[in-house]
Amino acid sequence: LSGGDIVVKFGEVSERVAIVHSLLVKSGDLSSSQVDGIFLEGTRKAIKEFQLSGVGRVTYDGEFSFRTVSALLAGADGPVFSNQERQRRHEGTKKLCQKIAYGSSVVRDDVEAVTELQNVLDELGFSLSVDGELGRETRGEVIEFQAQMGLMTDGVVGRKTLRYLLAQYYAASYEVNSE
């Protein structure tokens, strides 16, 4: 999706909009007859309905922010993506999406979230053991990732690092296995 705050712009026609449309259908905020891959007023209204539902700490603005999309992904049950690789990546990052959606500032002692983080780093080519502990090895790889992205290199897995990490992780599925 995107490492920035706004993922999709009003008027955009893309697969990303179609994916968010399908998430809005799953959340009950959009009719399946409205899924067309175009971000127009009907989509904005559905996003506002979702944002008003109080899921996560999303801003009521009708925009596709990374936090809103993360809240949609965190709450989605069942298949979200028709592409199997993208679906696998989604299923492996639900806890991290929840961290973004609910405004949790840092991944620390949550073994499931740390394991997801380690799996994501591993699949992005960083060398580390997947053990569910945010130890020296994992922090070192987080610092390396932060350096590559031009972020502050502190080894802390906060919201900004998570946004960039998940953006790179999902983008890799488009490079490896595009539809």
Side-chain angles (χ1 to χ4, degrees), residues 130-141:
V130 178
D131 58 9
E133 294 183 21
L134 194 57
R136 180 177 293 161
E137 181 183 33
T138 302
R139 287 185 196 279
E141 296 304 322

Side-chain angles (χ1 to χ4, degrees), residues 107-119:
V107 173
R108 281 196 185 122
D109 299 325
D110 184 332
V111 173
E112 190 177 347
V114 172
T115 301
E116 285 183 7
L117 168 71
Q118 290 170 331
N119 282 322

Side-chain angles (χ1 to χ4, degrees), residues 57-99:
R57 294 180 57 195
V58 296
T59 304
Y60 175 70
D61 59 8
E63 298 294 335
F64 281 128
S65 68
F66 203 82
R67 184 172 279 175
T68 297
V69 173
S70 294
L72 283 164
L73 286 168
D77 290 323
V80 172
F81 300 97
S82 59
N83 178 292
Q84 289 180 347
E85 174 62 13
R86 290 185 203 133
Q87 181 63 29
R88 182 188 68 76
R89 287 172 186 263
H90 162 65
E91 290 169 2
T93 58
K94 286 191 89 157
K95 194 71 170 183
L96 296 178
C97 286
Q98 288 172 353
K99 292 281 184 193

Side-chain angles (χ1 to χ4, degrees), residues 1-9 12 14-23 64-74 80-81 86 89-90 93 97 100 162-175:
L1 297 168
S2 168
D5 290 326
I6 301 297
V7 178
V8 179
K9 301 285 187 202
E12 182 173 324
S14 69
E15 181 183 11
R16 295 181 307 177
V17 177
I19 290 167
V20 176
H21 275 174
S22 70
L23 291 168
F64 281 128
S65 68
F66 203 82
R67 184 172 279 175
T68 297
V69 173
S70 294
L72 283 164
L73 286 168
V80 172
F81 300 97
R86 290 185 203 133
R89 287 172 186 263
H90 162 65
T93 58
C97 286
I100 293 171
L162 273 178
R163 283 198 326 255
Y164 277 80
L165 187 69
L166 290 177
Q168 292 300 309
Y169 185 64
Y170 278 101
S173 73
Y174 285 85
E175 295 166 8

Side-chain angles (χ1 to χ4, degrees), residues 137-155:
E137 181 183 33
T138 302
R139 287 185 196 279
E141 296 304 322
V142 168
I143 289 170
E144 178 63 30
F145 174 78
Q146 290 169 327
Q148 288 180 12
M149 294 294 111
L151 303 171
M152 183 169 57
T153 55
D154 57 6

Side-chain angles (χ1 to χ4, degrees), residues 47-55 58 60:
I47 293 168
K48 285 183 177 181
E49 289 297 317
F50 174 76
Q51 291 169 333
L52 276 174
S53 70
V55 177
V58 296
Y60 175 70

